[in-house]
């Protein structure tokens, strides 16, 4: 990778946005265009609207007061292919090379094509992880879509500092989310979950038409078929408890999922919320194991120390101790010997995510180009902690910590 220009130098920045939705444009991309456009040359390359993604008249109109932006809208017959694998990948790569950007910021599921772009290339990925749950506009800048739980190289002093900075909020959240002693029995009785065998929690992934990241899942089974397959594999050894993705609840017909659950006598489908909490968070506290793929729900298993099986083509942090094969995972769960995420490393990863990696496009102290030049930077941790004290005061404000 060529050396990145100094953040204060004027740079040519390309936003490549095949998978941008209107929500993403309004809440994340447009604020970045406005901030970066004050000091840099901004280009936007995106396809016309299709399946809830792309740039159309509404997005263009929102930026009519930014005349210096340069727009390149792909509206040929092949533009839908840009979401997954462009029909003319060489032509696309050649166009970007001719443009010669210093930085390329991508909202796309197709990370293979963009790695051939010049300059520093990063994906814009969702950065809101439970249970800390910062604002939905938080993002991460990554090279691959779903490499989860990876830790930066750091000294032991830096690791100790990160853990210490998060420790009060971590301990406060651990205490507030700990289930009551009688909660498991009462909840299992209410939901019809047997207590005489292990519970494996399956948070389902998003199946909305604009989620092209589904292209990376091993196999092509829809959620309903996955539930049937796992039910058959588990038999009477475990109970499969399923939580639906919130966007599925809002936008996807659940008939096939409900039918699948009804046909399986060892499967329970959770309601969207259990008490004060989203269903996945509420049940993760009580689960004997979790089945995760590419979704961000691995963070709940990490926070609560729940053994996990991860079915993914992407990398997992070694500290997660995730199983890559299902049968050994189930055997260890039933024997009560399943390996768990490393607790200290989990706290370190959350601290790195919250204080070093997470980016808020609206935060005035957050300099995106400085982040690209220095992905790991202890000098920004204090400002990040101050930001968290403003945005999550119940966890991070000094007075809350003192009374927690």
């Amino acid at each position: 990778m060529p050396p990145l220009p100094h953040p204060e130098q004027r740079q040519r920045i390309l936003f490549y946005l095949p998978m941008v939705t209107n929500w993403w444009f309004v809440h994340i991309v447009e604020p970045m265009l406005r901030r970066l456009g004050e000091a840099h040359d901004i280009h936007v390359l995106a396809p016309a609207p299709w399946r809830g993604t792309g740039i159309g008249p509404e997005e263009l109109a929102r930026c009519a007061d930014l005349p210096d932006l340069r727009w390149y809208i792909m509206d040929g017959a092949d533009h839908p292919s840009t979401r997954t694998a462009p029909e003319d990948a060489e032509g696309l790569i050649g166009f970007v090379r001719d443009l010669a950007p210093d930085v390329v910021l991508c909202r796309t599921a197709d990370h293979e094509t963009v790695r051939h772009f010049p300059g520093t290339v990063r994906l814009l990925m969702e950065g809101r992880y439970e249970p800390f749950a910062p604002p939905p506009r938080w993002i991460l800048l990554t090279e691959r879509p779903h490499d989860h739980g990876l830790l930066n190289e750091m000294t032991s002093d830096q690791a100790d500092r990160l853990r210490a900075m998060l420790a009060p909020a971590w301990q406060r959240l651990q205490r507030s989310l700990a289930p009551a002693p009688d909660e498991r029995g009462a909840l299992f009785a209410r939901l019809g979950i047997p207590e005489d065998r292990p519970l494996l929690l399956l948070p389902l992934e998003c199946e909305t038409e604009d989620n092209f990241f589904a292209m990376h899942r091993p196999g092509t089974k829809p959620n309903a078929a996955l539930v049937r397959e796992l039910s058959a594999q588990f038999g009477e050894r475990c109970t499969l408890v399923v939580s639906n993705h919130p966007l599925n609840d809002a936008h996807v017909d659940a008939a096939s999922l409900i039918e699948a659950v009804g046909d399986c006598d060892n499967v329970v489908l959770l309601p969207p919320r259990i008490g004060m909490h989203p269903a996945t968070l509420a049940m993760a506290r009580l689960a004997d194991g979790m089945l995760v793929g590419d979704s961000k729900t691995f963070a709940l298993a990490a926070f609560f120390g729940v053994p996990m099986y991860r079915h993914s083509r992407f990398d997992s942090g070694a500290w997660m101790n995730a199983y890559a094969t299902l049968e050994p995972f189930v055997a260890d769960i039933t024997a009560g010997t399943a390996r768990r995420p490393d607790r200290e490393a989990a706290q370190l990863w959350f601290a790195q995510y919250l204080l070093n990696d997470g980016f808020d496009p609206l935060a005035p102290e957050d300099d995106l180009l400085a982040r690209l030049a220095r992905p790991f930077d202890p000098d920004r941790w204090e400002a990040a902690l101050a930001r968290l004290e403003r945005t999550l005061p119940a966890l991070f404000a000094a007075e809350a910590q003192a009374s927690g």
Side-chain angles (χ1 to χ4, degrees):
M1 185 182 74
L4 189 71
H6 191 278
E8 294 181 1
Q9 296 177 355
R10 190 170 188 88
Q11 298 181 44
R12 177 171 292 185
I13 302 172
L14 172 64
F15 283 78
Y16 176 63
L17 306 172
M19 216 187 97
V20 73
T21 62
N22 179 264
W23 187 95
W24 256 81
F25 188 88
V26 170
H27 293 91
I28 296 172
V29 173
E30 183 186 341
M32 294 172 70
L33 294 176
R34 293 183 177 279
R35 288 186 62 186
L36 292 170
E38 295 176 357
H40 303 284
D41 299 323
I42 307 299
H43 302 251
V44 182
L45 174 61
W50 182 67
R51 286 178 55 177
T53 60
I55 298 292
E58 180 180 346
E59 291 78 22
L60 292 170
R62 291 185 63 90
C63 297
D65 62 325
L66 301 174
D68 292 333
L69 291 187
R70 295 164 178 83
W71 299 90
Y72 310 92
I73 305 300
M74 298 175 282
D75 58 1
D78 64 342
H79 81 78
S81 70
T82 60
R83 278 75 174 183
T84 51
E87 292 182 20
D88 183 15
E90 288 303 317
L92 174 63
I93 294 166
F95 177 87
V96 176
R97 284 178 177 166
D98 289 342
L99 196 62
D102 299 299
V103 172
V104 186
L105 301 172
C106 309
R107 182 61 180 166
T108 178
D110 173 27
H111 66 286
E112 287 296 332
T113 299
V114 302
R115 69 186 182 91
H116 298 288
F117 289 173
T120 299
V121 180
R122 293 292 183 270
L123 303 180
L124 304 174
M125 297 298 297
E126 291 89 346
R128 185 179 191 270
Y129 286 79
E130 297 280 1
F132 284 90
R137 65 176 180 268
W138 265 43
I139 58 174
L140 298 175
L141 304 169
T142 69
E143 296 186 43
R144 303 207 311 165
H146 302 300
D147 288 344
H148 285 164
L150 304 187
L151 287 167
N152 284 284
E153 291 187 10
M154 65 184 84
T155 67
S156 59
D157 287 346
Q158 289 169 335
D160 290 344
R161 181 184 168 206
L162 273 174
R163 274 192 293 264
M165 292 176 75
L166 184 65
W170 174 273
Q171 293 161 6
R172 182 178 177 83
L173 195 56
Q174 286 280 349
R175 289 195 300 270
S176 68
L177 292 178
D182 59 347
E183 185 173 343
R184 180 181 172 110
L187 183 60
F188 280 28
R190 178 159 65 88
L191 296 175
I193 301 172
E195 289 194 78
D196 61 350
R197 58 193 182 194
L199 182 159
L200 295 181
L201 175 61
L202 171 65
L204 295 177
E205 297 196 28
C206 179
E207 290 190 315
T208 57
E209 69 168 6
D210 57 13
N211 181 27
F212 294 94
F213 288 116
M215 66 184 278
H216 298 302
R217 294 176 195 165
T220 56
K221 293 182 179 66
N223 285 338
L226 176 63
V227 167
R228 291 182 186 275
E229 180 184 277
L230 291 173
S231 170
Q233 285 184 257
F234 295 159
E236 296 182 355
R237 294 182 294 170
C238 304
T239 299
L240 180 65
V241 175
V242 177
S243 59
N244 205 0
H245 193 285
L247 292 177
N248 292 342
D249 281 330
H251 303 293
V252 177
D253 186 350
S256 61
L257 175 62
I258 293 171
E259 181 181 2
V261 171
D263 290 342
C264 302
D265 59 8
N266 60 347
V267 179
V268 174
L269 177 63
L270 298 176
R273 298 188 68 83
I274 296 175
M276 297 173 56
H277 304 299
T280 305
L281 188 156
M283 193 56 68
R285 303 176 303 163
L286 306 170
D288 298 292
M290 284 181 63
L291 309 162
V292 300
D294 289 335
S295 81
K296 302 192 301 296
T297 53
F298 84 91
L300 288 172
F303 184 81
F304 293 116
V306 180
M308 70 183 98
Y309 160 69
R310 186 175 185 219
H311 192 42
S312 174
R313 294 189 172 98
F314 295 94
D315 293 336
S316 302
W319 63 268
M320 292 164 58
N321 289 322
Y323 288 74
T325 308
L326 185 58
E327 276 306 313
F329 172 71
V330 176
D332 286 355
I333 289 289
T334 56
T337 59
R339 59 181 185 257
R340 297 176 179 273
D342 182 275
R343 190 170 185 81
E344 283 194 4
Q347 183 176 339
L348 177 60
W349 177 82
F350 270 99
Q352 173 190 284
Y353 147 63
L354 289 164
L355 299 174
N356 186 83
D357 297 348
F359 174 73
D360 182 350
L362 297 184
E365 71 275 13
D366 242 334
D367 185 333
L368 182 141
L369 296 182
R371 283 179 171 275
L372 293 178
R374 297 181 298 277
F376 186 75
D377 185 3
D379 288 342
R380 66 170 169 260
W381 297 350
E382 291 294 342
L385 183 60
R387 176 185 61 187
L388 287 167
E389 289 174 353
R390 295 193 302 271
T391 55
L392 300 173
L395 283 178
F396 286 92
E399 59 271 19
Q401 294 172 7
S403 62

